[in-house]
Amino acid sequence: MRTFLATVFIAIMGSLILWVSTDRGRAFTVEEARRLDVRENPRFVPEWHLQNQDLETVTIQDWHEGFLVVDFIYTSCPSVCLILSSGLKSLQKDFASELEKNNLRLLSISFDPEKDTPQRLKEHLSHFSANFKYWIAARPVSSSQKKAILDFFKVIVIPDEYGGYTHSAGYHVIDPQGRLVAIFGVEQLNELKEYLTQVLNKENDH
């Protein structure tokens, strides 16, 4: 009997822990929980200073007049970063008119600033036919800033044994007020495009 009650207790506690850790059952992974939290609790992005591919200092606040889509990459990445950059290339093509009207901008932030020099960032953008007027790449100027940025966006970066990284991947949307308002997974490019179409049309109607 005691064994049975202990088993029931463990099962109940396990279910309770799962319920709490998955945001009342709505998110079954850390990544899904991160996306859900941002949708329900938009937050203002701090004014970090980054160095772009042209050795210029930029901040996320430089694009407050429109929406900004941010991804996190390192230029020697052989896999998911290439998919992310291909996604931004697709956005550059599909939202060309919104980019020209300053309603949308694209930003790739490197979390490997020691290796990703401005020249390497420029080469990465060029590989994806980026228009530097609308899509830039930048890197943090210090290790403490890099940590602060990754912590804010809750991007997980783990060095691997080959000199690369295992990391979370996604598209982060910042609105004209400077708030992080949505995150889409690397597999959700179409959903991101639908979202941008809706919010940009809404902004244009105002």
Side-chain angles (χ1 to χ4, degrees), residues 58-89:
V58 297
T59 73
I60 288 177
Q61 283 68 21
D62 291 340
W63 298 282
H64 268 189
E65 69 272 18
F67 283 85
L68 177 66
V69 177
V70 181
D71 67 350
F72 291 87
I73 64 166
Y74 67 106
T75 61
S76 57
C77 177
S79 55
V80 70
C81 298
L82 303 180
I83 299 173
L84 285 169
S85 296
S86 294
L88 292 192
K89 179 180 180 180

Side-chain angles (χ1 to χ4, degrees), residues 24 26 41 64 83 86 108 118 134 167 192 199:
R24 300 189 299 279
R26 292 182 297 172
N41 304 288
H64 268 189
I83 299 173
S86 294
S108 295
Y134 309 126
H167 60 97
L192 170 60
V199 296

Side-chain angles (χ1 to χ4, degrees), residues 8-24:
V8 171
F9 176 77
I10 292 171
I12 292 174
M13 289 303 296
S15 297
L16 180 61
I17 292 171
L18 179 63
W19 182 253
V20 172
S21 64
T22 60
D23 200 355
R24 300 189 299 279

Side-chain angles (χ1 to χ4, degrees), residues 28-48:
F28 290 92
T29 69
V30 172
E31 182 62 24
E32 289 175 8
R34 181 174 77 116
R35 298 175 195 173
L36 182 61
D37 177 58
V38 165
R39 287 292 186 99
E40 296 185 347
N41 304 288
R43 51 186 182 270
F44 286 96
V45 180
E47 190 172 355
W48 295 298

Side-chain angles (χ1 to χ4, degrees), residues 97-108:
S97 61
E98 297 294 342
L99 291 166
E100 291 173 1
K101 291 186 291 187
N102 293 324
N103 292 335
L104 180 66
R105 286 291 183 270
L106 310 174
L107 171 63
S108 295

Side-chain angles (χ1 to χ4, degrees), residues 143-156:
S143 58
S144 60
Q145 186 186 75
K146 179 179 76 171
K147 182 180 185 306
I149 292 172
L150 295 179
D151 286 348
F152 176 86
F153 287 95
K154 297 183 180 179
V155 174
I156 298 172

